[in-house]
Amino acid sequence: MVTSGAVRADLEQVFRSAYPRVVAVAARVLGSRSEAEDVAQEVFLTFCRSTVPAAEAPGWLSVAAAHTALNHLRSGRRRATREVAAGHAATVAPDVADAVVTLDERRRVRAALARLPRRQAIALVLRHSGLSYAEVAAALDLSTGSVGTTVRRAESALREELNRHASSD
Amino acid sequence: MRHPTDGTLRRLLDEPAGVAEADRAHVAGCEKCRVALAEATRDADAAADSLRVDAATDVDAAWERLSRAAEHHPRATTRAPRRWRTLLRSPAVAAVGVAAVLVGAGAAAAGDWLQVFRTERIAPVTAPEADLVQLPELDQFGDVVVTEAVDIRPVADATAAAKASGLTVPKVGALPRGVTGEPTYHAGARASAVFTYRAAKAEETARARGRTLPPPPPGLDGSQFRFTAGPGFAVMWAAERPFPALVVARAVAPSAYSTGVPFATARDYLLSLPILPANVAAQLRSFSSDGTTLPLFMSVEHMTSTATDVGGVPATLLTSKDETLAAVVWLEGNVATAVAGPLRGDEVLAVARGLGPR
């Protein structure tokens, strides 16, 4: 374990270049920018105490953002509170029906993501956050060839989850 | 020519240059592949729609927030004590701390440290998460002083891990699908902490929760308990990731010692306190008589436990209900071994049962 120094010297540089993507990854999982920003803070705090080499930081941070956000989905309490708050906002919004539909759609996507196998969910979110196949492969320790397969399975599983849920509603 | 895989078709949508020329030519002329490609396109577009979100950020403001937070979480000298605190604070926690006090048995003679708890069995204690979060932390009843800090360091290889921990590092047989590469090894010496019961602090905790405590039995105020765990080691695959793909860990299981307090009295008193969730207290009480059962706290919402065996030794298999996490843990003598990872229950069991002597 490294025990010297306050925070890693390269932190600010890594932070400034990677922060938008870390938020983007977490926001795709959570459907909420403010929650994603909380997750990003958590991820960078872990990072600044780690010994991850700077060159591997972007991949590490993206995977950590996806994992942490997926864990937040499951812990869910804070999210539930926020959704209630958002629900209140919706009742005073001019287009109530639209707001409710959007909220419900978001909830269903979150629930479906939480049910996907973890690796598929992460590959899906990273790919849709703009990481290249090579970057997703490096971050998840997959071969570049199997990234397409994993993403394809995730997309088809997501459709099935959303359809199944829609028909059982 | 064989049809390209679904994965190749999917990549064709995003990175056509990454797909072999022969595959691209095949798809252009193959009706079946064009249909599959159209399906892939539909699913990809639908996923993109579902995942679309406005994630514009203010990097400067975020950097300021992180700088403030990082100042309060320096990683230098405070690291080890904080780890102990975290350990004692997390819900899974209480396992070693409060629990060892609560389930310890036997009367301790004055003066010397007397063993009041040794782990001979591991049993799950299940409760709703809300109750687990409410479990009191040890430092709400007194003072916790770390005497040997948790200090887990990377070591070179299995031989070094065995030497540092004094334990056998087993050979791992076939790895589960998706777990690849060489593992890293980590080892830690024994860790210990001394807890001193403070009646005034306990009362304060109770008052903060709107409760009053019955008067403590004579001698409990100021009495001390010592907890030890380790040494141990962990073998991790993909260690530089925040969540390793597989962990095999082994450690000397926790023990607790006491000085000069009639332990049964202390235990009965603590279990009777109105600040323990009733269902948790009842479960702890059910195995509090022997002082040999280490409770494994888990939330009924997220985890399921199953009794199983590893090489004939009784073991506990824990699986998360969303099937994203599994762990199996068992004891041989006073040594606990765990195999865990973002895997299925049968996968961690297969690894556990395939561990061989080195």
Side-chain angles (χ1 to χ4, degrees):
Chain A
M1 290 291 144
V2 177
T3 52
S4 61
V7 292
R8 40 191 301 164
D10 58 359
L11 181 63
E12 178 164 2
Q13 195 197 346
V14 172
F15 182 90
R16 288 189 179 279
S17 67
Y19 184 77
R21 175 164 285 175
V22 168
V23 172
V25 169
R28 274 186 178 78
V29 174
L30 296 163
S32 145
R33 188 182 61 197
S34 64
E35 266 189 85
E37 295 209 69
D38 292 345
V39 164
Q41 292 282 330
E42 204 175 317
V43 166
F44 277 103
L45 273 178
T46 308
F47 173 76
C48 77
R49 291 193 292 266
S50 79
T51 55
V52 179
E56 291 170 22
W60 187 94
L61 288 163
S62 300
V63 173
H67 262 302
T68 311
L70 285 162
N71 288 345
H72 273 233
L73 274 191
R74 282 198 283 137
S75 63
R77 188 181 315 158
R78 214 168 43 109
R79 186 171 50 92
T81 319
R82 291 207 177 165
E83 281 184 357
V84 169
H88 275 297
T91 57
V92 295
D95 201 337
V96 178
D98 259 10
V100 169
V101 168
T102 307
L103 266 181
D104 186 56
E105 170 69 17
R106 269 194 203 167
R107 184 184 56 74
R108 293 197 304 118
V109 171
R110 264 56 279 165
L113 270 181
R115 281 192 296 267
L116 292 192
R118 186 56 76 105
R119 186 179 284 255
Q120 282 185 21
I122 293 178
L124 175 74
V125 166
L126 294 188
R127 176 63 206 114
H128 282 273
S129 303
L131 273 76
S132 71
Y133 280 55
E135 286 172 318
V136 175
L140 285 177
D141 212 5
L142 289 170
S143 70
T144 315
S146 56
V147 170
T149 312
T150 311
V151 171
R152 178 73 189 93
R153 280 193 192 139
E155 285 168 349
S156 133
L158 184 70
R159 168 176 43 79
E160 280 166 20
E161 282 287 349
L162 288 171
N163 285 347
R164 194 174 60 177
H165 206 73
S167 57
S168 69
D169 268 353
Chain B
M1 178 190 169
R2 277 173 48 196
H3 298 291
T5 64
D6 274 356
T8 305
L9 293 180
R10 180 64 186 83
R11 190 170 187 193
L12 200 53
L13 299 177
D14 292 328
E15 297 179 355
V19 175
E21 175 58 39
D23 283 336
R24 277 185 279 164
H26 170 99
V27 173
C30 171
E31 179 57 26
K32 188 166 178 256
C33 284
R34 285 214 307 273
V35 170
L37 186 64
E39 270 169 28
T41 311
R42 251 198 324 275
D43 283 353
D45 289 349
D49 269 350
S50 295
L51 298 173
R52 185 161 296 131
V53 65
D54 162 34
T57 53
D58 179 344
V59 178
D60 287 331
W63 169 246
E64 234 172 72
R65 178 177 164 194
L66 183 79
S67 308
R68 277 197 309 274
E71 257 171 46
H72 293 111
H73 296 272
R75 65 169 178 168
T77 49
T78 55
R79 183 187 176 93
R82 282 193 65 249
R83 284 180 80 145
W84 251 110
R85 279 183 70 83
T86 315
L87 207 66
L88 293 170
R89 273 167 179 279
S90 87
V93 177
V96 191
V98 175
V101 176
L102 293 177
V103 302
D112 291 321
W113 289 111
L114 193 87
Q115 191 171 53
V116 293
F117 176 81
R118 63 181 188 282
T119 309
E120 285 184 2
R121 236 158 51 83
I122 293 177
V125 167
T126 54
E129 185 157 280
D131 281 350
L132 293 181
V133 171
Q134 274 176 20
L135 272 185
E137 293 151 6
L138 208 49
D139 61 1
Q140 295 179 316
F141 291 107
D143 306 328
V144 178
V145 176
V146 176
T147 43
E148 293 164 293
V150 173
D151 185 13
I152 299 165
R153 297 162 180 280
V155 292
D157 53 20
T159 312
K163 193 167 170 234
S165 65
L167 300 168
T168 310
V169 180
K171 228 190 180 90
V172 176
L175 292 169
R177 250 179 86 91
V179 179
T180 52
E182 285 302 307
T184 54
Y185 294 84
H186 306 260
R190 187 180 70 172
S192 63
V194 172
F195 164 69
T196 309
Y197 188 88
R198 301 276 179 218
K201 224 174 184 178
E203 272 162 32
E204 213 176 281
T205 300
R207 205 176 313 123
R209 296 182 181 201
R211 313 281 193 154
T212 27
L213 298 186
L220 182 60
D221 190 19
S223 61
Q224 294 194 315
F225 305 91
R226 189 159 80 99
F227 305 108
T228 67
F233 66 82
V235 188
M236 285 190 228
W237 277 260
E240 278 295 9
R241 298 240 197 98
F243 301 86
L246 174 68
V247 182
V248 175
R250 178 169 281 179
V252 172
S255 295
Y257 303 81
S258 153
T259 59
V261 61
F263 204 79
T265 318
R267 178 199 67 219
D268 291 347
Y269 174 72
L270 290 174
L271 278 176
S272 75
L273 297 186
I275 49 182
L276 276 184
N279 53 353
V280 174
Q283 291 180 69
L284 288 175
R285 204 173 283 126
S286 73
F287 52 69
S288 66
S289 57
D290 57 359
T292 57
T293 305
L294 182 70
L296 212 53
F297 289 86
M298 43 186 264
S299 78
V300 291
E301 292 93 337
H302 299 316
M303 302 293 286
T304 313
S305 83
T306 324
T308 177
D309 76 284
V310 172
V313 177
T316 307
L317 175 68
L318 304 171
T319 46
S320 65
K321 292 197 170 156
D322 59 1
E323 298 179 335
T324 55
L325 202 70
V328 57
V329 50
W330 70 99
L331 273 171
E332 283 169 282
N334 65 340
V335 175
T337 307
V339 175
L343 299 164
R344 291 192 318 267
D346 59 320
E347 291 175 316
V348 294
L349 265 181
V351 173
R353 289 172 177 158
L355 292 181
R358 193 172 285 270

